[in-house]
Amino acid sequence: MSPSNAILNSLPPAERAIILEAATPVEFRLGDLICEAGDRATHCTFVDEGIISAVAVMADGRTIETFMIGPEGMTFPLAVEAGARAYSRLVAQSDGYGRRVEIGRLRQLADHSEALREAVAAYAVRLTGELEQSSACNALHRAEHRFAKWLLRCHDRVEGDVLKLTQEYLASMLGSQRTTVNEAAQTLQRAGAIRYSRGRVTILDRVALERAACECYGVQWEILEAGIHPPPLAKAG
């Protein structure tokens, strides 16, 4: 199967083929733990479909998502240049699949591929930009606006309009109380942007959801995803 991953697809065909030969197909399911914070990174995963979330875990057990990885990216991009330890928990936010490459082997391949080094470095820079914007967003913007932004970013990375998301899971991703998430969901539902019930969020009106999101959605799109996916309004119905 040809990769859907933007990093791999940016490489010359011959170099991409070498990496695919060294890679092992991997599937993940909603809620699967990819690695725990503090674990030593052993493999990089290039995501073809689905979402992997990086989640910061506080000493009291509270959590908040710091960034998400979809078909535009990979886990542990900096491990290509140096050893890496996971600073956040990596967990599957949806069903999906990708290609895993052992880090030592990927380094060897990068030593002989300027295109791979440049593609991974460019992704790492964009990811840093996303993290910087997320820090400001989490500190300054209200939960309902962050919730709308978060739904849009999920919608950009998955097929279809239905997201399997429990209230508890949403609260852990947004670093908010379940009651706050429920209020935000009800506000978006009354606006006709989504339908929310039984652990599912259905995107009904993409344009309305974009109006409800904070400015960070557009900024993060420009930083990380411009030129990789269709324009943000492509899914609007």
Side-chain angles (χ1 to χ4, degrees), residues 52-228:
I52 294 174
S53 286
V55 181
V57 183
M58 301 294 103
D60 61 4
R62 289 182 297 170
T63 61
I64 188 168
E65 183 191 74
T66 53
F67 61 90
M68 63 176 67
I69 306 163
E72 79 286 343
M74 62 184 289
T75 62
F76 303 114
L78 297 181
V80 174
E81 298 296 335
R85 188 176 294 278
Y87 294 107
S88 299
R89 174 184 295 163
L90 294 183
V91 61
Q93 193 188 114
S94 69
D95 296 348
Y97 62 89
R99 328 267 174 148
R100 289 201 330 161
V101 184
E102 195 272 326
I103 285 177
R105 178 60 175 145
L106 193 61
R107 285 187 199 143
Q108 292 175 350
L109 296 174
D111 286 342
H112 297 90
S113 173
E114 182 178 1
L116 175 59
R117 293 196 303 273
E118 290 182 350
V120 172
Y123 172 67
V125 169
R126 294 193 300 271
L127 191 59
T128 299
E130 181 185 16
L131 281 165
E132 292 171 354
Q133 190 69 29
S134 289
S135 296
C137 184
N138 290 335
L140 300 175
H141 289 155
R142 296 171 58 180
E144 57 263 38
H145 302 309
R146 292 191 293 116
F147 180 40
K149 180 202 74 171
W150 190 82
L151 291 176
L152 286 166
R153 289 172 56 72
C154 292
H155 194 221
D156 292 335
R157 289 168 166 86
V158 300
E159 296 293 330
D161 298 323
V162 179
L163 306 173
K164 298 178 182 178
L165 302 166
T166 65
Q167 204 173 87
E168 182 178 9
Y169 183 79
L170 288 167
S172 71
M173 290 295 102
L174 296 170
S176 301
Q177 298 293 323
R178 291 176 62 180
T179 52
T180 302
V181 171
N182 184 60
E183 290 172 2
Q186 293 303 321
T187 298
L188 291 175
Q189 186 161 256
R190 287 193 297 271
I194 67 171
R195 181 170 59 247
Y196 179 54
S197 64
R198 298 183 180 274
R200 290 175 179 266
V201 176
T202 303
I203 309 300
L204 299 178
D205 188 337
R206 169 105 187 180
V207 175
L209 195 59
E210 289 182 349
R211 285 198 297 266
C214 60
E215 67 199 72
C216 297
Y217 173 67
V219 174
Q220 288 181 316
W221 178 274
E222 183 177 353
I223 290 171
L224 190 62
E225 298 156 330
I228 296 176

